[in-house]
């Protein structure tokens, strides 16, 4: 009985194998290329012999069957084996996704660090918002690195007036602090119905309040008048750059009077409609025009501004003659330096020096470095610093809080750079000549800069044992290191290396 059962089972196994081979003829043709479709099938003994000779797992792979046996030889269910294989495949996919995500995060982190290292603190070039033959006004755009100033609700402007040029009467919707860095001129504004005026020159600092009508004239016959301005844009509508509202003008620029019905204007001014039409259409030269000359017998006469007799009569009724307001600009260049040595000087003006600065919560500064000199590494605890390079060229270095270099950038005359509050920085003059920059700070209080190097280093105020342990160096080495530099604030740079070819 046992022999019969064994033979019976063996026979069925052979028959099943043969049927499997016939049913998978395409797979067999692929597996055994020596037996193409147009040839007869191999004999059963040959077929069985070749099947037995082949490893079972290879045959399974060719026939794309699930494994029937585990690696340790234990029988498993075909369906269970399929599920295990699927689970292994999912685990491999998850592992691949995890590695890919880690690589992407690493690449993003690397890109972020690279971006930080390459970040620019030199502001983008200003755009021209007014341009005529007589001058131009450029404003800082609100995109890119400049957006940091926008976030602080600050705007920067650069006004240039050619000799004998006039910026026509207007008011703006932002408090303005301006600093004259070239030329001289005259600023006039309307206060309580009277025209006030002051003469301004290089180094003068003055303020125009939001909504105050003002105009500016370059009286010089041979030099351009250049003004660097900072604006507090907190009150500006729709978070834009400040707006100019021209109270005088015509077709170009349009005066704000043009927005009213001419009949209403004729009524409120008690003028004829023709006079109103003439007033609103005569000016076509733009916001900055060449000035034709004042009538000295009546300096408030608007005819000298080229605005027409009708407007002259109207303005005379409401404005009148210029008077002395008692307000005077404060001259940065004439102020005594806060610090000076053989390598340069620094000068600052704060609210305690000039009341207008206290009202605007702004400060003004000037730095002059001789060739190769270094304004020692330091930070400003109270304000962001915005600087315009007015002479020479040099380098500014800024450091992130994590100790990595935020920027090392070359700057030259006309460049504008800023340093955020509390960010460590230093400036280095070129070896080829002096380097000067001036600008504004965002606080009217004294900055009290904290210097890292020099005889006044803040590090010297820390207990030697504490500082030495923090650096993990001997106290003696630390004290020697901190006392190597005898100078303060502005330090000598590296001496120029001698040219050995010229030494005899």
């Amino acid at each position: 009985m046992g022999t019969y059962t064994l033979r019976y089972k063996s026979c069925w196994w052979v028959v099943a194998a043969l049927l499997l081979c016939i049913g998978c003829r395409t797979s067999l043709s692929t597996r055994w290329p020596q037996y193409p479709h147009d040839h007869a099938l191999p004999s059963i003994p040959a077929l069985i012999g070749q099947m037995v000779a082949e490893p079972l797992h290879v045959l399974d792979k060719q026939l794309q069957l699930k494994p029937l046996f585990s690696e340790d030889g234990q029988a498993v269910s075909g369906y269970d084996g399929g599920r295990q294989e699927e689970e292994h495949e999912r685990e491999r996919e998850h592992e691949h996704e995890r590695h890919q995500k880690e690589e992407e995060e690493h690449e993003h982190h690397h890109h972020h660090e690279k971006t930080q290292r390459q970040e620019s603190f030199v502001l983008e070039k200003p755009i021209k918002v007014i341009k005529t033959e007589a001058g131009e006004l450029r404003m800082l755009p609100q995109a890119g690195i400049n957006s940091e100033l926008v976030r602080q609700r600050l705007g920067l402007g650069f006004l240039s007036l050619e000799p004998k040029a006039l910026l026509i009467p207007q008011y703006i919707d932002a408090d303005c602090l301006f600093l004259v860095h070239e030329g001289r001129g005259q600023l006039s504004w309307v206060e309580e119905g009277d025209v006030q005026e002051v003469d301004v020159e290089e180094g003068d600092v003055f303020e125009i309040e939001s909504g105050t009508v003002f105009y500016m004239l370059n009286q010089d016959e041979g030099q351009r008048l250049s003004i660097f301005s900072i604006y507090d844009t907190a009150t500006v509508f729709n978070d834009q750059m400040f707006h100019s509202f021209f109270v005088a003008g015509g077709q170009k620029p349009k005066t704000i009077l043009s927005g009213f019905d001419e009949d209403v204007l004729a009524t409120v001014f008690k003028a004829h409609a023709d006079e109103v039409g003439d007033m609103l259409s005569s000016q076509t030269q733009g916001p900055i025009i060449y000035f034709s000359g004042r009538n000295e017998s009546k300096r408030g006469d608007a005819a000298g501004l080229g605005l027409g007799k009708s407007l002259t009569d109207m303005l005379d009724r409401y404005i009148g003659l210029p008077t002395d307001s008692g307000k005077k600009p404060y001259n940065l260049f004439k102020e005594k330096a806060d610090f000076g040595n053989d390598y340069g000087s620094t000068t600052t003006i704060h609210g305690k020096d000039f009341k207008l600065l206290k009202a605007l919560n702004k400060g003004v500064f000037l730095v002059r470095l001789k060739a190769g000199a270094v304004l020692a590494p330091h930070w400003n605890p109270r304000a962001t610093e915005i600087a315009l390079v007015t002479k020479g060229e040099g380098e500014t270095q800024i450091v992130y809080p994590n100790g990595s270099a935020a920027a090392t950038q070359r700057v030259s005359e006309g460049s504008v750079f800023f340093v955020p509050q509390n960010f460590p920085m230093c400036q280095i003059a070129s070896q080829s000549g002096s380097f000067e920059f001036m600008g504004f700070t965002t606080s009217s209080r004294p900055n009290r800069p904290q210097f890292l190097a020099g005889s006044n280093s803040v590090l010297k105020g820390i207990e030697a044992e504490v500082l030495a342990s923090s650096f993990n160096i001997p106290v003696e080495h630390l004290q020697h290191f901190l006392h190597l530099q005898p100078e303060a604030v502005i330090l000598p740079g590296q001496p120029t290396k001698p040219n050995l070819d010229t030494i005899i």
Side-chain angles (χ1 to χ4, degrees):
M1 183 70 178
T3 303
Y4 172 78
T5 303
L6 178 62
R7 289 177 179 177
Y8 177 79
K9 291 182 179 178
S10 300
C11 179
W12 276 110
W13 183 87
V14 173
V15 172
L18 179 60
L19 292 175
L20 180 62
C21 293
I22 296 173
C24 301
R25 182 164 184 159
T26 302
S27 297
L28 292 173
S29 300
T30 305
R31 173 65 186 84
W32 295 296
Q34 66 269 34
Y35 301 115
H37 290 292
D38 55 351
H39 285 66
L41 284 171
S43 64
I44 291 176
L47 180 60
I48 293 175
Q50 191 160 358
M51 289 176 60
V52 173
E54 285 290 331
L56 182 60
H57 69 276
V58 175
L59 180 61
D60 288 340
K61 183 177 180 182
Q62 293 294 334
L63 298 178
Q64 299 182 352
L65 297 177
K66 297 295 182 182
L68 300 179
F69 297 90
S70 64
E71 292 182 355
D72 59 2
Q74 299 295 321
V76 297
S77 166
Y79 291 104
D80 290 342
R83 281 197 295 270
Q84 288 182 2
E85 182 66 22
E86 290 174 357
E87 290 175 0
H88 289 321
E89 183 66 24
R90 284 196 296 268
E91 289 177 1
R92 286 192 294 268
E93 290 177 356
H94 292 163
E95 185 71 13
H96 175 72
E97 291 176 356
R98 185 176 66 82
H99 284 301
Q100 188 175 16
K101 185 176 180 180
E102 289 177 353
E103 290 177 358
E104 290 175 353
E105 290 177 350
H106 176 74
E107 180 66 23
H108 175 75
H109 180 69
H110 176 72
H111 175 73
H112 178 67
E113 289 185 338
K114 183 178 180 181
T115 301
Q116 282 193 329
R117 290 195 298 270
Q118 295 179 347
E119 187 166 358
S120 175
F121 287 83
V122 177
L123 299 177
E124 297 176 11
K125 291 184 178 181
I127 57 176
K128 295 177 182 178
V129 294
I130 295 176
K131 173 65 176 176
T132 72
E133 293 182 357
E136 65 180 26
L137 174 64
R138 295 174 294 136
M139 296 294 300
L140 206 67
Q142 295 182 300
I145 190 64
N146 303 340
S147 60
E148 172 62 23
L149 296 184
V150 176
R151 186 185 66 80
Q152 297 189 37
R153 310 305 299 270
L154 298 174
L156 297 179
F158 307 83
L159 175 66
S160 296
L161 299 180
E162 297 296 328
K164 295 298 182 180
L166 170 74
L167 177 65
I168 70 175
Q170 62 179 289
Y171 67 90
I172 58 178
D173 55 354
D175 290 333
C176 170
L177 181 66
F178 67 78
L179 175 56
V180 180
H181 70 88
E182 182 183 25
R184 61 188 182 90
Q186 187 173 79
L187 171 67
S188 302
W189 71 98
V190 179
E191 184 176 306
E192 296 182 356
D194 294 326
V195 176
Q196 316 292 335
E197 61 183 30
V198 293
D199 294 328
V200 293
E201 61 181 354
E202 292 180 358
D204 275 350
V205 180
F206 206 72
E207 175 245 7
I208 292 292
E209 293 183 5
S210 172
T212 299
V213 174
F214 72 98
Y215 50 97
M216 188 168 295
L217 172 66
N218 181 1
Q219 296 174 304
D220 201 296
E221 295 184 357
Q223 187 176 19
R224 179 184 293 114
L225 174 62
S226 298
I227 296 175
F228 180 34
S229 305
I230 188 169
Y231 303 87
D232 184 352
T233 61
T235 60
V236 174
F237 177 72
N238 202 24
D239 292 334
Q240 300 293 319
M241 291 187 294
F242 77 88
H243 304 92
S244 293
F245 298 79
F246 293 100
V247 297
Q251 295 183 20
K252 183 180 179 182
K254 276 188 172 296
T255 168
I256 55 176
L257 294 173
S258 299
F260 298 98
D261 291 338
E262 291 190 8
D263 291 341
V264 172
L265 294 178
T267 299
V268 297
F269 280 104
K270 289 188 177 182
H272 295 293
D274 292 343
E275 292 179 307
V276 173
D278 178 63
M279 182 180 68
L280 298 181
S281 61
S282 297
Q283 182 56 265
T284 60
Q285 300 176 50
I288 303 176
I289 61 176
Y290 283 110
F291 185 56
S292 59
R294 265 198 176 109
N295 182 349
E296 293 299 330
S297 63
K298 192 177 184 182
R299 299 185 66 188
D301 192 333
L305 306 183
L307 302 178
K309 185 178 183 303
S310 299
L311 182 57
T312 296
D313 296 336
M314 294 178 193
L315 294 181
D316 278 348
R317 299 175 197 171
Y318 294 95
I319 296 179
L321 300 176
T323 60
D324 186 0
S325 67
K327 292 182 180 180
K328 301 294 182 184
Y330 200 103
N331 194 281
L332 175 64
F333 294 172
K334 296 178 181 179
E335 179 73 0
K336 183 180 179 181
D338 301 317
F339 176 86
N341 61 13
D342 293 338
Y343 312 105
S345 64
T346 63
T347 306
T348 57
I349 304 176
H350 304 292
K352 66 178 182 179
D353 305 313
F354 192 31
K355 292 182 179 179
L356 290 179
L357 294 179
K358 187 175 183 179
L360 293 174
N361 194 29
K362 297 290 185 294
V364 183
F365 66 90
L366 169 66
V367 176
R368 289 171 167 158
L369 302 178
K370 293 184 179 180
V374 180
L375 182 59
H378 67 284
W379 70 90
N380 287 332
R382 291 181 171 174
T384 292
E385 182 178 291
I386 306 164
L388 169 67
V389 179
T390 57
K391 183 179 180 180
E393 60 181 15
E395 181 177 280
T396 181
Q397 296 187 9
I398 305 172
V399 177
Y400 280 119
N402 64 6
S404 62
T408 299
Q409 294 181 282
R410 301 289 297 180
V411 290
S412 57
E413 185 173 341
S415 298
V416 180
F417 65 91
F418 82 102
V419 184
Q421 182 178 347
N422 284 314
F423 272 45
M425 62 173 162
C426 75
Q427 284 80 35
I428 308 167
S430 168
Q431 292 285 352
S432 61
S434 59
F435 178 45
E436 298 182 8
F437 54 94
M438 65 181 189
F440 306 100
T441 60
T442 56
S443 174
S444 62
R445 297 187 300 167
N447 271 328
R448 295 179 181 173
Q450 304 294 300
F451 289 91
L452 289 165
S455 61
N456 62 338
S457 170
V458 67
L459 299 178
K460 293 183 176 181
I462 303 174
E463 295 179 55
E465 293 77 8
V466 171
L467 192 61
S469 297
S470 301
F471 277 109
N472 194 25
I473 61 175
V475 174
E476 297 77 11
H477 292 181
L478 173 70
Q479 291 179 333
H480 172 73
F481 179 82
L482 293 181
H483 289 82
L484 290 173
Q485 178 58 264
E487 301 290 343
V489 183
I490 301 177
L491 312 177
Q494 294 182 350
T496 304
K497 295 181 180 180
N499 187 348
L500 299 179
D501 294 337
T502 61
I503 299 178
I504 301 177

